[in-house]
Amino acid sequence: MDYKQAGVDVEAGREFVKKISENVASTYRREVLGGLGGFGGCFEIPTGYQQPVLISGTDGVGTKLKIAHQLNRHDTVGIDLVAMCVNDILTSGAEPLFFLDYLATGKLNGNQLAEVINGIVIGCKESGCALLGGETAEMPGFYQQGEYDIAGFCVGIVEKSRIIDGSAIQTGNVAIALSSSGIHSNGFSLVRKIIESEGLSWNYQCEELGEKTLGEICLTPTKLYVKPVLSALKAGIPIKGMAHITGGGIPENLPRCLPTDKSIEVKLDSWTIPPIFQWLKKKGNVSLEDMLNTFNMGVGFVVIVEAQEADKTIQHFQSSGIDTFLIGKVIEGKQTIIFN
C-alpha cells in the first residue's frame, strides 16, 4: 500500500499549491521576504515606528461552513475568515500586516479549496495585509465527503503610544455603531436549527427577506472595517475604544473595551435591525434577549468617542459607505450593557 491508497494524495497537494501561488502573491506587501512554499513566512517590520507593538489574532468561520458545503458555494467564507481576525486586532488600533490560513479536509478538492483561497485573497487585499502562508491538511476519515474546516491567524502593528485599550474612556462618551453586512460569522448553529425546524431549504425566498434566497443572505461575508477605521485614526478622530461585535453580541463584546468602572447605556431603537434578524426572531420564536446575546443584530463594530466628536465620526464613516448610528453613552457602572 501507499499514502495515496490510504487517502492522501501528495501530488494533488503540490498541484494545489501551484494553482494558488500567483493569487497568493498578489497580496504581498513590500515587507514580504521570499515566496510561498517555505517552512515559514518572512516579513520585515515596517519602517517609521519608534516602539512597534505586534498584535495577533486567530479565529474561524464556525458552522457557517455547513451552509457553504450544502450550497457548494465557497467564494465568500475566505472573506469571513480574514474579517473575523483582522477586525479583532483592529480594535487595538493595529494595522494588519500579514495573514496565514489553515485548511483541513477529508479529501483535497483543488477547485473547491481554490475558491476558498480566492476569498481569503480578497479579504487580505481589502485589509491591506499579505497572505504570507498557510497549511493544507488532507485527513481521510476525519471530515464528511466534500467538507473542510478553516482557521486563520493574523498579525498587525501599532505604535505603542497609540494602542487603543479603552483606558481613556470616560463617563459621557458616546458609542457609535458601524452597521454589519448581516449575520457575519456567528450564531449559525441557531440559524441552522431554525431553518431545520421550519423544514425550509437554503433556496427559500419570501417578501420579508427581499429578492435574495436564504442561503445567499446567510453567506453574505463579514464586513471588513480595517480601511475606514484606520483612515479615521489617520484623520485625527480621537477614538477611545473599539469593539468587534461577534459571538455573544453587543452584551458580551462591547464591555470588553470598557474600564472596570464604566458601563454603556444602549438605546434599542437607535439603529436599523436588518430584516434577517427580525425573520429569525419570528420563525424561531426567539426572545429579544437571546437574539441580542447571539447575533450582532446589525451592529458589526462600535467605536467610542467624546460626545463632541460624534457628528464628525458619523460623517467620516458614512462617507466610507457604512451606515452609522449613535447608539448609546458611557455611564458609571461595572462593565455591563444596559438596554433601554
Side-chain angles (χ1 to χ4, degrees):
M1 295 185 70
D2 59 22
Y3 210 11
K4 189 172 183 178
Q5 288 175 304
V8 179
D9 190 338
V10 175
E11 188 56 40
R14 294 193 184 104
E15 288 301 314
F16 174 65
V17 173
K18 291 180 183 178
K19 186 182 184 72
I20 65 173
S21 292
E22 187 174 339
N23 203 15
V24 171
S26 70
T27 70
Y28 285 177
R29 297 165 50 123
R30 61 184 179 84
E31 295 91 352
V32 174
L33 306 178
L36 191 66
F39 288 99
C42 299
F43 195 95
E44 190 173 27
I45 297 293
T47 59
Y49 288 87
Q50 300 301 311
Q51 289 183 288
V53 175
L54 298 179
I55 297 180
S56 62
T58 182
D59 212 331
V61 178
T63 60
K64 185 174 187 175
L65 290 176
K66 282 285 188 180
I67 304 172
H69 296 151
Q70 290 170 5
L71 291 176
N72 194 29
R73 181 181 172 185
H74 312 282
D75 58 335
T76 63
V77 292
I79 302 174
D80 285 299
L81 183 65
V82 175
M84 295 301 291
C85 296
V86 297
N87 287 344
D88 272 359
I89 67 167
L90 178 64
T91 61
S92 298
E95 173 194 358
L97 294 178
F98 58 84
F99 187 88
L100 297 98
D101 66 81
Y102 174 82
L103 266 159
T105 185
K107 182 174 178 58
L108 195 150
N109 179 329
N111 291 330
Q112 177 196 62
L113 297 187
E115 285 188 50
V116 178
I117 294 296
N118 190 56
I120 294 173
V121 166
I122 291 171
C124 285
K125 285 182 175 180
E126 289 189 17
S127 304
C129 65
L131 178 51
L132 194 59
E135 170 71 10
T136 303
E138 194 171 14
M139 302 163 63
F142 203 83
Y143 295 94
Q144 296 293 325
Q145 181 69 31
E147 291 193 350
Y148 57 83
D149 194 13
I150 51 178
F153 315 84
C154 68
V155 173
I157 190 169
V158 63
E159 189 71 63
K160 187 175 183 179
S161 62
R162 295 179 181 175
I163 293 175
I164 298 172
D165 59 8
S167 59
I169 293 174
Q170 298 176 340
T171 301
N173 291 168
V174 294
I176 295 174
L178 310 186
S179 63
S180 69
S181 56
I183 305 173
H184 282 186
S185 300
N186 305 102
F188 275 94
S189 293
L190 178 55
V191 172
R192 291 169 46 245
K193 185 70 174 178
I194 292 171
I195 303 308
E196 290 171 7
S197 67
E198 289 292 306
L200 300 175
S201 76
W202 296 112
N203 293 318
Y204 172 81
Q205 288 179 284
C206 68
E207 187 175 342
E208 294 171 80
L209 298 177
E211 297 181 356
K212 291 184 177 181
T213 67
L214 189 56
E216 288 172 331
I217 292 169
C218 287
L219 286 181
T220 300
T222 304
K223 187 174 289 187
L224 291 150
Y225 298 99
V226 173
K227 287 186 177 179
V229 169
L230 290 181
S231 69
L233 293 171
K234 289 177 183 177
I237 295 176
I239 297 174
K240 295 188 171 186
M242 293 187 275
H244 182 202
I245 310 304
T246 55
I250 292 173
E252 181 172 322
N253 291 285
L254 190 46
R256 294 166 68 179
C257 72
L258 294 175
T260 56
D261 61 346
K262 298 291 184 285
S263 292
I264 296 184
E265 191 175 60
V266 173
K267 293 185 178 181
L268 280 169
D269 61 354
S270 60
W271 77 92
T272 303
I273 298 176
I276 183 61
F277 297 112
Q278 306 283 14
W279 185 86
L280 288 167
K281 183 178 186 301
K282 182 175 71 174
K283 286 293 183 181
N285 192 26
V286 185
S287 70
L288 178 59
E289 181 181 4
D290 281 339
M291 290 294 294
L292 288 166
N293 278 291
T294 305
F295 302 109
N296 66 61
M297 297 296 280
V299 176
F301 203 86
V302 176
V303 300
I304 297 175
V305 298
E306 293 182 3
Q308 60 265 33
E309 298 286 344
D311 289 343
K312 179 182 177 181
T313 305
I314 290 171
Q315 288 172 9
H316 170 85
F317 287 109
Q318 287 183 337
S319 69
S320 299
I322 301 174
D323 290 334
T324 309
F325 310 92
L326 197 162
I327 63 169
K329 63 180 180 180
V330 178
I331 60 175
E332 296 296 316
K334 297 182 179 180
Q335 283 186 310
T336 57
I337 302 302
I338 301 166
F339 291 103
N340 61 29

